[in-house]
Amino acid sequence: MQHSDQRPQLEQAVLQPEPHVQSTLSGLRISDVLVTLTAAVVVALFLKIFVLELYQIPTHSMEPKLLAGDCVIASKIEYSFGLPTYIPFTDIRIPFTWKIRLKSIQRGDIVIFDFPGETSEIFPQKHELYVKRVVGLPGDSVSVQSGRSVINGVEMLNSSLASSSVSDRRCAFLGPLIVPNKGMILHLDEHSIEQYRQIIEREGSTIEQVNAEIIINGRAADTYTVQDNYYYVLGDNRGDSYDSRFWGFVPERNIIGKPIMLYWSSTPAPSSSGKIRWERIGLIGN
C-alpha cells in the first residue's frame, strides 16, 4: 500500500518544470525578443549584402554551363570585400567605391556583375545583374570572330564554351581591342575622344572638345590616366549572348562575385512545365 501511495506523487513531480526553467520563462521580456530578432536581421542583411547571395539565371547566354532556370549561390567575397555598386534594394548608384582585394579575377572565371550600361549612356537607367565569362583581363588585346576569342594573339580554348562554329550574325568580328587597366595612359585627340569618352565619364570626370582642344574637368588635357581595371566578358553561348561585344568593358568595381554552387534548377516556364533538373543540383565551379 505504501508503494501505490507514492507513485502518483512521483508522476506529478515529473510533469512539473524545474524551478530554474520556470524562472527563465517568467523573466522573458519583449525587449529581449526584439533584440534577438534585430540581431538576426542585421546578420542576415550583412551576409546578403557582403557575403552570399542567391540568383536565378534568366537567359540562355551561358549555356551549356549555366542553363536558364538554374539557381545559384554566389560568393561576394571571392575577389574582394567592400561597398556594393548600388545602395541595397534600390537603383541608386553609390558615387564612390571602397574595396579590399582578396583574390585576382582570372581569365575563364564566370562572374556576376552590375550591368555597366549601354554604349549610349554613362550609367544604366535601371540596376540589372549579368553573368558572363571573363575573356579579357586588364591590358589584354582581344579579338572576337565567329564566336572564337583571340587573346594576345592566341585563341582561347575552353572545354566548357559553346562550339566555336556557332556564328553570331549580329557581331561576327570585333577587335583587336586593348582592355583598359588601372594606370593606363590614354592619349586624347579629336579622333580618340569618342573612343574613350565613356570610360572617362563613368569614372566621374567630365570631358568635352572645344575646337581642337580636349577639356577634362575644366582643364586642357591630351592624356587621361585610367582609374580602374576593366574586363572583357562574353557568354558561352556566343550566338545568343548580349555581352562586351555590344556594350563594352566591365569595371572591376561592378563585379560582385562568382557563382559557387547550384542549389536548384528547373526548366523555365511558360515554355515547359517547370520540370526539376535534379542532376544539376549541387554542381559547382566554372
Side-chain angles (χ1 to χ4, degrees):
M1 293 297 294
Q2 293 179 349
H3 179 75
S4 62
D5 289 339
Q6 292 177 352
R7 184 172 180 179
Q9 295 177 357
L10 291 173
E11 290 178 348
Q12 185 178 13
V14 171
L15 293 175
Q16 291 178 347
E18 295 183 15
H20 74 276
V21 174
Q22 202 170 34
S23 175
T24 301
L25 292 175
S26 62
L28 191 64
R29 296 175 298 179
I30 295 179
S31 60
D32 296 330
V33 176
L34 291 177
V35 169
T36 302
L37 290 177
T38 301
V41 170
V42 169
V43 170
L45 287 175
F46 178 85
L47 292 175
K48 177 179 175 62
I49 295 171
F50 296 106
V51 182
L52 294 173
E53 182 65 284
L54 306 180
Y55 299 106
Q56 182 178 34
I57 307 301
T59 71
H60 302 280
S61 69
M62 284 301 294
E63 292 181 353
K65 186 62 180 180
L66 294 175
L67 307 181
D70 281 352
C71 297
V72 300
I73 299 174
S75 169
K76 292 186 173 183
I77 56 173
E78 182 71 22
Y79 304 114
S80 62
F81 175 82
L83 294 176
T85 310
Y86 290 81
I87 296 176
F89 313 110
T90 75
D91 289 337
I92 303 174
R93 187 176 184 275
I94 299 176
F96 54 88
T97 183
W98 177 83
K99 287 188 177 182
I100 300 174
R101 175 178 285 192
L102 303 176
K103 179 182 175 182
S104 297
I105 299 169
Q106 302 296 314
R107 185 181 296 110
D109 284 357
I110 297 176
V111 295
I112 295 173
F113 56 93
D114 296 305
F115 178 55
E118 305 288 353
T119 55
S120 59
E121 55 189 7
I122 300 177
F123 300 115
Q125 296 181 2
K126 64 178 181 177
H127 182 200
E128 294 182 296
L129 298 177
Y130 278 29
V131 56
K132 304 292 178 186
R133 189 181 296 274
V134 174
V135 173
L137 299 176
D140 279 351
S141 172
V142 177
S143 298
V144 180
Q145 183 174 8
S146 298
R148 298 193 305 270
S149 305
V150 179
I151 312 299
N152 302 323
V154 179
E155 183 172 350
M156 180 180 178
L157 300 177
N158 191 310
S159 60
S160 70
L161 296 183
S163 172
S164 61
S165 63
V166 175
S167 175
D168 188 344
R169 298 190 183 96
R170 298 170 299 173
C171 190
F173 177 79
L174 186 67
L177 297 173
I178 302 299
V179 184
N181 62 277
K182 186 175 183 178
M184 177 184 287
I185 297 177
L186 306 178
H187 295 278
L188 306 174
D189 55 34
E190 63 270 22
H191 303 294
S192 64
I193 182 174
E194 292 306 321
Q195 178 182 355
Y196 300 132
R197 178 186 296 276
Q198 184 187 75
I199 289 176
I200 294 171
E201 291 181 335
R202 286 182 177 177
E203 290 191 344
S205 296
T206 61
I207 180 171
E208 58 181 333
Q209 181 177 353
V210 180
N211 297 323
E213 192 173 49
I214 308 299
I215 309 296
I216 297 181
N217 296 328
R219 296 183 178 182
D222 57 7
T223 63
Y224 176 80
T225 303
V226 178
Q227 304 299 307
D228 200 359
N229 286 318
Y230 290 80
Y231 297 85
Y232 194 86
V233 299
L234 297 174
D236 286 359
N237 185 6
R238 301 290 163 78
D240 188 18
S241 175
Y242 190 56
D243 47 41
S244 286
R245 294 170 293 176
F246 302 95
W247 41 258
F249 306 112
V250 179
E252 186 167 346
R253 68 163 294 184
N254 282 46
I255 294 179
I256 297 172
K258 66 182 297 183
I260 57 175
M261 187 179 73
L262 272 71
Y263 70 90
W264 186 256
S265 182
S266 61
T267 52
S271 59
S272 65
S273 58
K275 180 182 177 181
I276 299 174
R277 296 185 284 230
W278 295 105
E279 73 281 1
R280 296 188 59 76
I281 297 175
L283 295 180
I284 60 175
N286 280 342

